[in-house]
Amino acid sequence: MPGFELGGSIPPDTAHVPARQAVSVSLPTWSANVGYEEGQDWVVNRMTTGYPRFFIHRSIQAFAADIVARFGPNGYKAMLFPTQQIACRCLAFVKARCSPSTLATLTVVNLVLDVSNPSAKVLEPLLPTISAVILPEDVFSIAKQYWQHSGDGVSSRRAEFCHGLFKDGLLRLDAGFNGASPTLVQKPCRGPKRYTRTASLDAGIPHTTGPRVEEVQESTRFLEERFGRNLDISFVAPAKSAIKRRIAGALRSNHELGSSPLPKMESNTRGIVNLREDDIYLFPCGMNAIFNAHRALLGSRGNLKSINFGFPYVDTLKILEKFGPGCVFYGHASESDLDDLEKRLKDGERFLGLFCEFPGNPLLTCPNLVRIRHLADTYDFAVVVDETIGTFANMNVLPYADIVVSSLTKIFSGDCNVMGGSAIFNPNSRYYRSLKDFAQREYEDTYWAEDVIFMERNSRDFVSRIERINTNAEAICDVLRSHPAVRTVYYPKFNESKPNYEICKLPGGGYGGLISISFHKPEQAMAFYDAIDTAKGPSLGTNFTLTSPYVLLAHYQELDWAAGYGVDPNLVRISVGLEETEAIVGVFESALYVTAGKTSST
């Protein structure tokens, strides 16, 4: 899938098509990545889309502008969320960080379905609500921090759908919500004539006679178009069930959905015989799963510091630092780090939980989960493991964790056109009951129906794709490890922490599709990146090979800090895809060839 223009969507032709929403954006040269990080116009002005937690989708921006135009003062902006509870959390985050003079200018507008209109009845199961935090432009960047860290923002598909309802008068101001300013009054907006009659997506056109038939047909067609041909309301609940069962390892076939519930879950590949479907929670993105795992632990265990163990994905650390009493950071995930942690525990320090990735991003280090589990049991803290990179088709970390989180956006979906996340509560955890009680009180299922449908369809062949990607990744590693320009190849099979991975590796499992490499000289990394004939942009776990100067993108403002933990600022990360093995190996051989003239001795 090479040949993307700067700023184009990855996959192509999706940024402006409602049926598909790209998750990545093309940054085809090293200088383009630097330009993006520095906000240079020649890059930013050409971006049609971007990674959704960092780049607010155009459709969301458009809806937010219309909400401000109707409800907000001139010069204000809006940040959109799926529920009023989430919007109020964002509001509290902003209030804690803005000047006292700004506090009175902040408000939340809650929009709900106008069920007084008969045509809206068919939409009630979707819960098409929108809550907007309206705020001055000079504090918008604070709200953007909440959006990025928490993953709580609306998806582009929800925004597009609800924006249509808003334009046609089917969303109204929730007058009973006390977060809205009393000065905000919705301007009159009459919906189009097609909404004056009842229609049902599930039942089709109601049986009727006379002149009403044409209007009813028009209403039905319009609502179906709002959903798109890819969505049937009756399939949403079974789709969620299928996704959860795939995550549990209880549904491994390419299962076609019907509108009826799936049969009882009898077994799984997680090694936890009492794991149930309702122990698995879905979220709109992977970071939101981590954010809510942390919330659940705070809510069920109290206000304690956490432990971030291993060099983290950037927002995991930010969540632990900003939402709660803070965290202790161990950036190497080494045995000496565990020695230090054990000493602190013996000296009486107590923690909420330990958060780690297995393997880590980007160095693919695997922490010692056996020892971590022993310390957690001895000193009473929870273990939260992010399994996104290794994937549960290759390994099983649930026996060592109280909560397992994953970004379904990545290889579980593969198509790079939908976001999603999951969290599993281990039923054998000592915290299970308190976590379930918290979820009963606080969990909001905000995973938008259209996103659910796309995720379920994309994930049907998840296991077979992993097998191919494992094979391709090892073949690419062989080429990289034998080339003189390459200093280090980071991959679970070859890292020093391989024994920790092997403990969790499933029979027949592989080592995953993520590889990171460092070169002897920065010029070699730049030349390789510019030459590699793959898609190039943020994200990972795509069905096509995707290359990124990851550290540059994730830690541009803190490159020296990252280097202090052994993370090369010029590291290149490769997410391996489904290409023919011989062909993708040839792509890497060609890119390595251009580094030959720049090779230096160690």
Side-chain angles (χ1 to χ4, degrees):
M1 191 180 283
F4 295 97
E5 294 185 1
L6 171 63
S9 62
I10 301 176
D13 304 321
T14 62
H16 304 294
V17 181
R20 300 182 70 210
Q21 303 295 339
V23 168
S24 189
V25 61
S26 178
L27 296 170
T29 64
W30 195 274
S31 61
N33 284 271
V34 174
Y36 167 74
E37 286 298 323
E38 295 183 349
Q40 296 174 13
D41 289 345
W42 71 277
V43 177
V44 176
N45 291 346
R46 293 189 61 181
M47 292 179 65
T48 60
T49 188
Y51 193 74
R53 284 190 305 101
F54 294 85
F55 180 97
I56 299 177
H57 196 279
R58 304 291 189 195
S59 61
I60 300 172
Q61 295 182 44
F63 191 10
D66 280 359
I67 289 175
V68 172
R70 187 172 299 183
F71 298 113
N74 292 334
Y76 276 48
K77 300 185 77 171
M79 188 68 80
L80 306 189
F81 298 97
T83 71
Q84 66 187 45
Q85 290 88 346
I86 293 172
C88 287
R89 285 205 297 269
C90 176
L91 188 67
F93 182 87
V94 176
K95 284 182 174 180
R97 290 161 176 81
C98 68
S99 65
S101 62
T102 305
L103 295 178
T105 68
L106 308 175
T107 191
V108 172
V109 169
N110 196 43
L111 300 174
V112 297
L113 192 65
D114 185 2
V115 293
S116 66
N117 188 318
S119 292
K121 288 290 185 182
V122 68
L123 304 177
E124 281 190 274
L126 289 177
L127 300 175
T129 58
I130 290 289
S131 290
V133 178
I134 298 180
L135 68 177
E137 189 167 357
D138 61 353
V139 296
F140 184 78
S141 61
I142 302 176
K144 179 66 161 48
Q145 290 178 40
Y146 181 88
W147 170 287
Q148 176 181 322
H149 300 330
S150 71
D152 262 337
V154 297
S155 78
S156 56
R157 288 187 180 91
R158 179 191 280 264
E160 287 175 349
F161 186 91
C162 292
H163 196 185
L165 300 182
F166 181 76
K167 288 177 179 178
D168 292 314
L170 281 181
L171 289 185
R172 63 169 177 81
L173 192 65
D174 183 4
F177 173 53
N178 61 13
S181 166
T183 62
L184 298 180
V185 180
Q186 184 175 8
K187 298 175 184 178
C189 179
R190 177 177 297 175
K193 185 178 180 181
R194 59 176 166 260
Y195 284 116
T196 62
R197 300 288 183 245
T198 302
S200 169
L201 287 176
D202 293 329
I205 300 171
H207 293 290
T208 186
T209 58
R212 294 178 55 197
V213 172
E214 184 175 346
E215 290 183 3
V216 171
Q217 289 174 332
E218 181 186 4
S219 177
T220 300
R221 283 196 300 272
F222 182 81
L223 291 173
E224 287 174 343
E225 289 167 3
R226 280 279 189 250
F227 285 107
R229 289 177 292 178
N230 294 294
L231 178 61
D232 184 325
I233 294 176
S234 65
F235 287 157
V236 175
K240 288 181 179 178
S241 179
I243 291 170
K244 291 180 178 183
R245 292 181 185 216
R246 287 193 187 108
I247 293 167
L251 183 66
R252 297 175 69 87
S253 61
N254 194 337
H255 183 84
E256 288 290 338
L257 290 185
S259 58
S260 58
L262 294 171
K264 182 179 178 181
M265 194 170 87
E266 298 290 348
S267 62
N268 64 78
T269 61
R270 293 283 186 166
I272 308 293
V273 295
N274 52 336
L275 180 67
R276 302 183 307 181
E277 185 179 315
D278 65 4
D279 294 330
I280 301 167
Y281 296 85
L282 300 180
F283 298 92
C285 66
M287 194 50 58
N288 195 239
I290 295 171
F291 178 75
N292 279 289
H294 185 237
R295 282 188 66 232
L297 288 172
L298 287 172
S300 60
R301 300 205 60 232
N303 210 32
L304 296 168
K305 284 187 176 183
S306 294
I307 304 158
N308 193 133
F309 197 76
F311 194 84
Y313 182 71
V314 57
D315 287 307
T316 301
L317 181 58
K318 301 301 183 186
I319 286 170
L320 302 183
E321 289 177 335
K322 294 184 179 183
F323 298 90
C327 76
V328 174
F329 176 51
Y330 290 100
H332 297 285
S334 63
E335 291 300 311
S336 60
D337 282 346
L338 283 178
D339 290 341
D340 184 81
L341 174 60
E342 185 169 12
K343 182 179 183 303
R344 299 174 76 151
L345 292 165
K346 287 180 177 178
D347 289 343
E349 287 192 61
R350 292 296 176 262
F351 297 98
L352 179 74
L354 181 149
F355 289 71
C356 68
E357 300 171 2
F358 194 94
N361 182 15
L363 300 184
L364 290 305
T365 302
C366 297
N368 185 341
L369 291 184
V370 174
R371 187 176 175 191
I372 289 171
R373 181 72 263 164
H374 174 73
L375 291 174
D377 290 340
T378 303
Y379 296 102
D380 190 21
F381 61 84
V383 178
V384 182
V385 181
D386 185 341
E387 66 177 8
T388 301
I389 292 172
T391 84
F392 51 86
N394 284 324
M395 61 184 202
N396 182 23
V397 297
L398 185 57
Y400 305 99
D402 299 281
I403 304 175
V404 171
V405 294
S406 184
S407 174
L408 307 181
T409 308
K410 309 306 192 295
I411 193 58
F412 187 78
S413 166
D415 276 345
C416 200
N417 64 2
V418 65
M419 302 281 281
S422 65
I424 306 174
F425 291 172
N426 186 336
N428 297 329
S429 165
R430 70 167 74 178
Y431 314 115
Y432 176 73
R433 189 66 267 156
S434 60
L435 289 170
K436 294 291 282 188
D437 289 345
F438 178 87
Q440 182 68 29
R441 298 189 310 268
E442 299 286 339
Y443 172 70
E444 293 184 284
D445 184 357
T446 60
Y447 201 15
W448 180 243
E450 289 175 282
D451 295 322
V452 169
I453 294 295
F454 273 88
M455 183 62 73
E456 190 283 319
R457 289 178 177 175
N458 291 355
S459 63
R460 290 179 185 178
D461 61 349
F462 164 66
V463 173
S464 62
R465 285 188 284 113
I466 287 293
E467 294 169 355
R468 176 64 170 272
I469 286 169
N470 289 339
T471 298
N472 282 352
E474 292 199 34
I476 291 169
C477 280
D478 290 341
V479 173
L480 294 171
R481 295 178 76 228
S482 64
H483 198 277
V486 176
R487 183 177 65 193
T488 309
V489 174
Y490 301 96
Y491 190 63
K493 184 176 181 179
F494 306 113
N495 287 355
E496 289 183 5
S497 62
K498 178 184 177 183
N500 295 334
Y501 187 91
E502 293 292 341
I503 289 171
C504 299
K505 183 170 170 285
L506 292 171
Y511 297 91
L514 198 68
I515 306 166
S516 292
I517 53 176
S518 61
F519 291 84
H520 290 292
K521 297 178 68 175
E523 295 82 3
Q524 294 167 332
M526 296 173 191
F528 173 85
Y529 183 81
D530 288 353
I532 191 76
D533 195 17
T534 68
K536 289 180 269 190
S539 197
L540 59 90
T542 48
N543 289 338
F544 46 87
T545 297
L546 182 65
T547 308
S548 170
Y550 171 76
V551 183
L552 203 67
L553 284 177
H555 301 283
Y556 190 71
Q557 303 300 327
E558 52 189 16
L559 293 176
D560 290 341
W561 172 82
Y565 291 97
V567 181
D568 182 356
N570 299 300
L571 177 143
V572 177
R573 191 185 71 180
I574 303 144
S575 176
V576 179
L578 294 171
E579 297 89 350
E580 292 294 329
T581 303
E582 184 177 350
I584 194 63
V585 165
V587 167
F588 277 82
E589 288 173 337
S590 296
L592 288 167
Y593 180 78
V594 304
T595 69
K598 300 177 174 64
T599 301
S600 68
S601 59
T602 56

